[in-house]
């Protein structure tokens, strides 16, 4: 079915998205908000953030597709009430996020972070390779991305546990759920990978108390959102030697300021938000599917529950 898709983003290329959608569905036109002359002609929006002035003029919208795997960039209170909103789970995003997590786990497990520092110090310190059974990995967040991360890490031989706000059983993985089971989860692993959605309940979940409850010389890998981590608490626990190292792809301020204390801590690797990305070519089929669903009134893929915030 033909139609027009409103596009609004200050970080994505509208031409790339228009070409990717048109290659699969020539009857669909992706229009950047700057070129819109008749807002009432649009029934579907693809956006990172709404255009300046909001979505009020687009009174015929039937659904909104986020340009991100999360929706933290959106102020839900400013969106038209009752309008379905979907997250964008790109297969390429899942693959790259999984690759990042596995790479970070292996880097800490095999001690490459230590060897890098020793090499710069011109120091040779031989050690025997460790056993995976002695390096269990805990995954915070067991949704589409977290579940894929947990399964891949288990597939390469690590014991894996998982935690989420509500229980998500995964074959072969010991799963913990809710606040009451969080302490047991924090005692279950040596490396912890955060892939949670950022909500009021999960903001600051990686703090002095929770990271202090991890076994001594544990590792923290955050690829969820910067708001999950209390950065000053991590720095203090690294300096104290309780946390052996960290790999952080997301921080509270991006780009990270040049004077950020993490840059002075060699145990902490900061990467510039590269764990995963959404590519128009691989994500376009999902956008088209949700457009068709919106036009027929069917539930959207990856539909957001406003009460849960994701």
């Amino acid at each position: 079915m033909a139609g027009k898709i409103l596009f609004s983003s200050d970080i994505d290329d509208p031409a790339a998205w228009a070409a990717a959608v048109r290659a699969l569905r020539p009857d669909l036109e992706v229009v950047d908000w700057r070129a819109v002359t008749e807002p009432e002609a649009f029934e579907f929006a693809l956006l990172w953030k709404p255009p300046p002035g909001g979505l009020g003029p687009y009174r015929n919208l039937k659904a909104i597709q986020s340009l991100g795997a999360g929706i933290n960039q959106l102020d839900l209170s400013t969106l038209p009430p009752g309008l379905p909103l979907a997250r964008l789970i790109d297969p390429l995003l899942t693959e790259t996020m999984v690759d990042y997590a596995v790479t970070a786990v292996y880097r800490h497990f095999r001690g490459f972070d230590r060897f890098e520092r020793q090499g710069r110090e011109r120091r040779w310190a031989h050690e025997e390779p460790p056993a995976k059974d002695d390096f269990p990995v805990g995954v915070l967040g067991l949704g589409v991305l977290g579940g894929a991360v947990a399964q891949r890490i288990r597939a390469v031989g690590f014991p894996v546990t998982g935690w989420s706000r509500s229980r998500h059983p995964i074959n072969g993985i010991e799963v913990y759920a809710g606040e009451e089971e969080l302490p047991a989860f924090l005692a279950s692993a040596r490396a912890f990978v955060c892939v949670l959605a950022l909500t009021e309940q999960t903001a600051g979940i990686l703090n002095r108390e929770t990271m202090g409850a991890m076994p001594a010389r544990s590792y923290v890998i955050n690829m969820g959102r910067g708001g999950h981590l209390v950065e000053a608490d991590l720095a203090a626990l690294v300096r104290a030697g309780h946390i052996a190292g960290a790999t952080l792809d997301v921080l509270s301020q991006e780009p990270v300021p040049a004077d950020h204390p993490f840059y002075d801590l060699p145990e902490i690797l900061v990467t510039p938000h590269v764990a995963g990305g959404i590519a128009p070519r691989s994500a376009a089929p999902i956008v088209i599917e949700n457009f068709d669903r919106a036009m027929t009134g069917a539930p959207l893929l990856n539909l957001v529950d406003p009460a849960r915030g994701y």
Side-chain angles (χ1 to χ4, degrees):
M1 59 191 75
K4 290 187 175 183
I5 298 175
L6 171 69
F7 185 92
S8 177
S9 174
D10 56 0
I11 62 173
D12 299 281
D13 181 5
W17 277 97
V21 170
R22 187 172 56 249
L24 298 175
R25 285 282 297 275
D27 59 322
L28 294 182
E29 182 183 5
V30 176
V31 181
D32 183 64
W33 69 270
R34 299 172 187 85
V36 171
T37 57
E38 298 180 2
E40 64 276 5
F42 293 85
E43 296 181 284
F44 191 82
L46 175 61
L47 52 84
W48 177 249
K49 291 183 179 180
L55 293 173
Y58 301 87
R59 58 179 181 269
N60 291 323
L61 287 180
K62 294 181 178 178
I64 299 172
Q65 173 71 70
S66 171
L67 272 164
I71 56 167
N72 301 110
Q73 80 280 10
L74 296 171
D75 181 351
L76 300 187
S77 67
T78 66
L79 302 181
L83 200 61
L85 168 65
R87 299 179 298 123
L88 185 53
I89 305 298
D90 178 0
L92 180 62
L93 171 71
T94 301
E95 179 182 351
T96 54
M97 292 282 281
V98 168
D99 287 346
Y100 184 98
V102 173
T103 300
V105 167
Y106 266 116
R107 178 173 176 268
H108 293 306
F109 165 64
R110 290 305 307 265
F112 282 12
D113 50 348
R114 298 191 306 280
F115 299 147
E116 288 164 3
R117 297 195 296 273
Q118 291 166 5
R120 286 191 289 270
E121 296 166 357
R122 301 174 185 271
R123 184 158 56 94
W124 179 283
H126 176 78
E127 60 182 63
E128 293 299 319
K132 289 179 179 177
D133 285 346
D134 297 328
F135 200 85
V137 178
V139 178
L140 292 98
L142 296 174
V144 174
L145 294 176
V149 166
Q151 289 175 315
R152 181 70 64 81
I153 293 173
R154 180 179 179 271
V156 297
F158 292 95
V160 178
T161 60
W163 179 87
S164 56
R165 288 178 55 200
S166 56
R167 198 170 301 281
H168 294 271
I170 300 177
N171 187 40
I173 294 172
E174 185 176 5
V175 171
Y176 300 83
E179 294 297 323
E180 66 281 358
E181 296 183 11
L182 182 57
F185 167 75
L186 293 171
S188 71
R190 279 284 314 285
F192 295 84
V193 182
C194 180
V195 205
L196 286 163
L198 183 61
T199 66
E200 291 183 5
Q201 292 74 27
T202 63
I205 193 170
L206 296 173
N207 55 49
R208 186 181 297 269
E209 180 181 357
T210 55
M211 291 186 292
M214 296 173 182
R217 308 298 295 165
S218 289
Y219 297 89
V220 173
I221 300 164
N222 188 18
M223 46 197 289
R225 291 289 184 266
H228 289 125
L229 174 68
V230 181
E231 294 175 3
D233 290 354
L234 174 62
L237 289 167
V238 167
R239 292 190 185 102
H242 182 74
I243 296 298
T247 300
L248 309 175
D249 190 55
V250 288
L251 288 102
S252 60
Q253 182 180 347
E254 298 177 7
V256 179
D259 61 352
H260 196 289
F262 284 168
Y263 285 134
D264 296 320
L265 292 170
E267 299 87 353
I268 297 178
L269 171 65
V270 174
T271 59
H273 208 136
V274 295
I278 292 174
R281 182 178 297 180
S282 57
I286 301 167
V287 172
I288 293 169
E289 173 70 17
N290 269 346
F291 173 87
D292 290 339
R293 286 171 176 251
M295 296 308 104
T296 61
L300 302 183
L301 301 175
N302 306 307
L303 183 66
V304 171
D305 180 353
R308 297 170 66 188
Y310 61 92

